[in-house]
Amino acid sequence: MRKIIHNSKQVCIFLLCAYLCLPQVLNAQSNYIDSLKNLLATLPDNAKKVDVYEQLSWSNITSWADSSMLYSNEGFKLAEKLNLPLKKMSLLRIMSATLGENGNFSLSLEKALDALSIAKNKGDEYEISNCKGFIGIAYFYAEDYKNAIANILEAKRNINFFNKNKSLMSGLLGETYFHLGELDSAFVYIKQSYDLNKKSNSHWAVPYLYLGKIAEQKNQLNGALSFYKASISKEVAQSDYIKGYLAISGAFKKLNNLDSSIYYARLAHQISNQTALYKYSYQASELLKLLYKQNNQIDSAFKYQEIMMTEKDSLFNRDKLYQLQNIAYEDEKRNENIRIEKERFLNKIKLYSLLIGLIVIISIVFVLVRNNRFKQRAYNLLQEQKTAIDEQKSKAEQTLSELKSTQAQLIQSEKLASLGE
């Protein structure tokens, strides 16, 4: 009896702490985002402004997907204008994670692949591995766990990257193996991530959450509850609070503690509605409907049945919106490819024009050089002929002079002969 009372006190204390801390956590994050927005308004278009866009994108990634996409798109445009490929790659990865978290799986994968393309163009092996990890996360969100594990393992092969991100990578591997039903491998990697997280100053909810899930699989519900509570014992992402509350609610449901289960499901539903994490809101509503029905609170069960249907319609509409976004993105990519191909075609025309011009110039130069050589040869031939003529003329004049001299001598001889006679 004392043990039951003690456990009840612990539950009450934890419920009270969760209720009191939730607004403070939400306000703290809101203040941080407001400070970034104020800073953004004062900055010129430079690399620092891109950094602020990046931080705002990360800050909204697990709460307001539309805001995260807005900031990451603006940051991407500025990074493109400033020629900052690494920032473009980082913002594309944020877009991928945001879209995946909110159910737009195909576009999430496209953005991760675009980031990988930039990394490959840069030839940066570390960033290639990083992008492979994000591709794995995109597949994870889409519940394609085989492709997820393949890409995450490929990223793991880069020892430098894996060692720098060991806790995160181990956590990703662990949760993916869990969903593949490979609990032994899941436990090894999750435990590794958990131990590293405990030693660091940071707090990541995933290893705690999945150690709880593994314990729950083994029907160790009290141990599972301890891990679930530990996962949200410090400030974490909004989606992690929701996942933690839903996990706690599920464990209490199995323990047949319906009041506590309902409480945590309502907390999860509350945060989902305060943010834009619609899929979790639907999950919480569905769980609340079942809990109220099990607790014979038919009115409340019917209420959440209606809420669930409304949220289902909202999710359906968002799926339609995502399809339109995907079509628009594909159209944009197609137009971009057309633009690139057009630029390539124009560049080829310019190149060919330059080559043709160069060939024409070379041909003209060749003709001029050849003509010049012909003229030079003709000139040299004329010079030789002139020299030869001059020589012949000189010889002829010399011969004529000699003939005249001889003739004069002959005449003189004849005169002397005549005189002698």
Side-chain angles (χ1 to χ4, degrees):
M1 185 68 180
R2 285 180 181 176
K3 187 176 181 180
I4 293 170
I5 293 170
H6 178 69
N7 288 339
S8 299
K9 284 182 179 178
Q10 283 186 326
V11 169
C12 290
I13 290 168
F14 190 79
L15 293 179
L16 181 61
C17 289
Y19 180 78
L20 293 174
C21 291
L22 180 60
Q24 294 174 8
V25 169
L26 294 174
N27 286 335
Q29 188 168 15
S30 177
N31 291 336
Y32 174 66
I33 291 172
D34 287 341
S35 68
L36 287 174
K37 287 179 181 178
N38 293 333
L39 178 59
L40 186 68
T42 64
L43 291 172
D45 287 351
N46 56 20
K48 177 64 178 174
K49 193 170 187 176
V50 177
D51 290 337
V52 175
Y53 275 126
E54 186 178 8
Q55 291 173 55
L56 279 166
S57 302
W58 273 121
S59 299
N60 286 280
I61 198 169
T62 60
S63 51
W64 297 102
D66 294 339
S67 296
S68 179
M69 288 302 296
L70 174 66
Y71 289 123
S72 53
N73 274 314
E74 289 299 316
F76 183 85
K77 289 176 188 175
L78 184 54
E80 195 166 37
K81 178 182 173 183
L82 298 172
N83 192 25
L84 302 171
L86 291 177
K87 285 297 176 184
K88 283 169 59 180
M89 182 174 54
S90 177
L91 288 159
L92 281 168
R93 291 194 295 240
I94 295 172
M95 293 181 205
S96 174
T98 306
L99 291 161
E101 179 73 55
N102 288 274
N104 195 345
F105 308 126
S106 58
L107 196 54
S108 170
L109 182 59
E110 283 285 343
K111 297 293 185 183
L113 290 170
D114 287 346
L116 177 62
S117 178
I118 294 174
K120 284 182 175 179
N121 287 336
K122 293 288 290 181
D124 190 326
E125 292 299 326
Y126 182 91
E127 292 299 342
I128 288 171
S129 297
N130 201 351
C131 291
K132 286 283 185 181
F134 272 85
I135 291 169
I137 293 169
Y139 278 119
F140 180 89
Y141 281 127
E143 298 180 5
D144 184 351
Y145 300 116
K146 287 185 178 179
N147 274 319
I149 202 71
N151 280 277
I152 296 168
L153 284 172
E154 198 168 336
K156 180 180 178 287
R157 289 192 189 99
N158 187 323
I159 303 300
N160 183 35
F161 173 75
F162 180 72
N163 287 336
K164 283 187 177 180
N165 303 276
K166 200 166 187 177
S167 177
L168 175 64
M169 290 298 293
S170 298
L172 288 173
L173 285 164
E175 59 181 332
T176 308
Y177 276 124
F178 176 85
H179 289 286
L180 284 168
E182 299 181 31
L183 294 186
D184 291 339
S185 296
F187 178 77
V188 168
Y189 282 110
I190 287 292
K191 184 65 166 60
Q192 188 177 66
S193 179
Y194 172 81
D195 291 338
L196 290 167
N197 199 257
K198 289 279 284 184
K199 291 176 184 176
S200 69
N201 294 323
S202 60
H203 178 79
W204 188 32
V206 165
Y208 297 87
L209 183 68
Y210 276 86
L211 281 176
K213 286 180 180 290
I214 291 169
E216 190 172 342
Q217 285 275 331
K218 296 176 180 178
N219 206 33
Q220 300 168 358
L221 295 176
N222 288 324
L225 275 170
S226 296
F227 282 120
Y228 292 151
K229 291 172 185 178
S231 74
I232 52 173
S233 61
K234 296 180 181 179
E235 186 175 346
V236 292
Q238 302 298 332
S239 58
D240 288 331
Y241 279 114
I242 297 168
K243 290 172 190 174
Y245 290 142
L246 286 173
I248 292 169
S249 176
F252 274 126
K253 183 175 182 290
K254 287 184 178 179
L255 287 167
N256 207 31
N257 187 341
L258 296 183
D259 289 341
S260 296
S261 183
I262 288 169
Y263 180 83
Y264 281 104
R266 289 185 68 179
L267 272 180
H269 194 264
Q270 179 187 345
I271 298 177
S272 300
N273 285 334
Q274 288 175 344
T275 58
L277 299 168
Y278 304 104
K279 66 176 182 179
Y280 297 117
S281 182
Y282 176 78
Q283 290 174 16
S285 297
E286 187 176 28
L287 179 58
L288 283 164
K289 179 199 75 171
L290 294 172
L291 288 167
Y292 279 122
K293 185 178 179 181
Q294 188 175 339
N295 209 31
N296 293 319
Q297 294 175 263
I298 305 303
D299 290 343
S300 296
F302 183 72
K303 170 189 169 184
Y304 278 98
Q305 170 75 20
E306 289 186 327
I307 292 172
M308 190 180 76
M309 295 306 294
T310 302
E311 288 167 343
K312 188 175 181 179
D313 290 339
S314 176
L315 283 173
F316 177 76
N317 290 333
R318 288 192 71 80
D319 286 341
K320 290 293 182 185
L321 176 62
Y322 290 151
Q323 289 175 14
L324 290 173
Q325 285 178 343
N326 293 339
I327 292 168
Y329 180 72
E330 288 298 325
D331 188 57
E332 183 184 339
K333 289 279 284 184
R334 188 164 50 253
N335 290 334
E336 179 67 13
N337 288 336
I338 290 169
R339 185 186 66 78
I340 291 169
E341 287 301 320
K342 187 177 178 181
E343 282 184 2
R344 285 177 181 170
F345 179 71
L346 290 172
N347 288 335
K348 281 182 180 179
I349 290 174
K350 288 177 183 177
L351 180 61
Y352 292 149
S353 299
L354 287 171
L355 287 172
I356 291 168
L358 186 61
I359 290 168
V360 170
I361 291 169
I362 290 170
S363 300
I364 292 169
V365 169
F366 175 76
V367 169
L368 290 172
V369 169
R370 190 180 65 173
N371 289 342
N372 186 55
R373 283 180 180 175
F374 285 153
K375 287 180 180 179
Q376 188 67 36
R377 285 176 185 173
Y379 176 77
N380 291 337
L381 183 60
L382 287 171
Q383 286 295 109
E384 287 174 1
Q385 289 174 349
K386 183 183 176 184
T387 302
I389 290 168
D390 287 343
E391 287 178 356
Q392 289 174 0
K393 182 181 176 183
S394 178
K395 286 179 180 180
E397 286 176 350
Q398 186 178 355
T399 302
L400 180 62
S401 178
E402 287 175 354
L403 285 171
K404 284 180 179 180
S405 177
T406 301
Q407 186 180 21
Q409 287 177 0
L410 287 170
I411 291 169
Q412 185 65 30
S413 295
E414 286 179 0
K415 283 182 179 181
L416 290 173
S418 296
L419 183 62
E421 290 178 357

